[in-house]
Amino acid sequence: MGKSADIKRRLEQQRQHRQDGADNEGTPTAVASSPQAAPSSGTHRTVSAPLSKLDYALYATIYITLQLLFNYLELGAAFFCVAGCVFMYIFTSEGQRRPGELSPYSVFNKDFQAIQGTFDAAKMEREMRYGMYANQAPA
């Protein structure tokens, strides 16, 4: 009975710690509690911790094991294609941005603000009409 009570006590401490918005560096997820990071719906946003070399080694081992299994079942090519799609989705998903960080897609930014270096048709037209340095102030 004492072990069960200890587990419940530690679980309650972790919940309280997350509700307080403390930094959870040792755990895989941390709850963002700053007003800039929290979405307007009132729910907490979960931010994933970066993966370590051990995590990558574990994922590679799991993938190789499954690839060998599916090769044995003569479904290796199908598994390779599905795993490739899954990897592309996982590693190219945007995830959560830091407060103030802009999305590469201006439609997701406040006031449709574009990032530096984005091709803009209006800017291209200005440069064609008035020259490349039309927007810069004289030095």
Side-chain angles (χ1 to χ4, degrees):
M1 197 69 164
K3 187 175 183 179
S4 171
D6 184 46
I7 291 172
K8 287 180 182 179
R9 182 184 53 80
R10 288 192 312 189
L11 182 60
E12 186 58 40
Q13 285 176 348
Q14 287 178 349
R15 286 183 183 150
Q16 186 63 37
H17 189 68
R18 285 186 176 184
Q19 287 175 353
D20 292 342
D23 187 21
N24 296 334
E25 291 181 21
T27 59
T29 59
V31 177
S33 63
S34 65
Q36 299 93 358
S40 60
S41 64
T43 60
H44 288 290
R45 180 179 78 173
T46 303
V47 179
S48 297
L51 296 175
S52 68
K53 290 181 181 179
L54 184 63
D55 293 331
Y56 285 120
L58 177 66
Y59 293 147
T61 304
I62 292 171
Y63 169 76
I64 291 169
T65 304
L66 288 174
Q67 183 66 53
L68 291 173
L69 174 69
F70 278 89
N71 283 344
Y72 177 77
L73 298 173
E74 297 182 3
L75 294 169
F79 178 76
F80 181 78
C81 292
V82 170
C85 293
V86 169
F87 287 145
M88 283 189 286
Y89 176 76
I90 290 172
F91 291 114
T92 61
S93 63
E94 193 169 324
Q96 300 294 333
R97 291 189 305 274
R98 287 168 274 183
E101 185 179 8
L102 296 176
S103 170
Y105 304 102
S106 61
V107 294
F108 298 120
N109 295 331
K110 186 177 180 180
D111 299 326
F112 299 103
Q113 182 180 2
I115 60 173
Q116 183 178 9
T118 301
F119 178 78
D120 183 15
K123 181 181 175 189
M124 178 76 168
E125 183 179 359
R126 278 192 310 272
E127 288 176 359
M128 288 175 65
R129 287 180 188 239
Y130 307 112
M132 192 152 190
Y133 304 104
N135 294 334
Q136 294 181 357

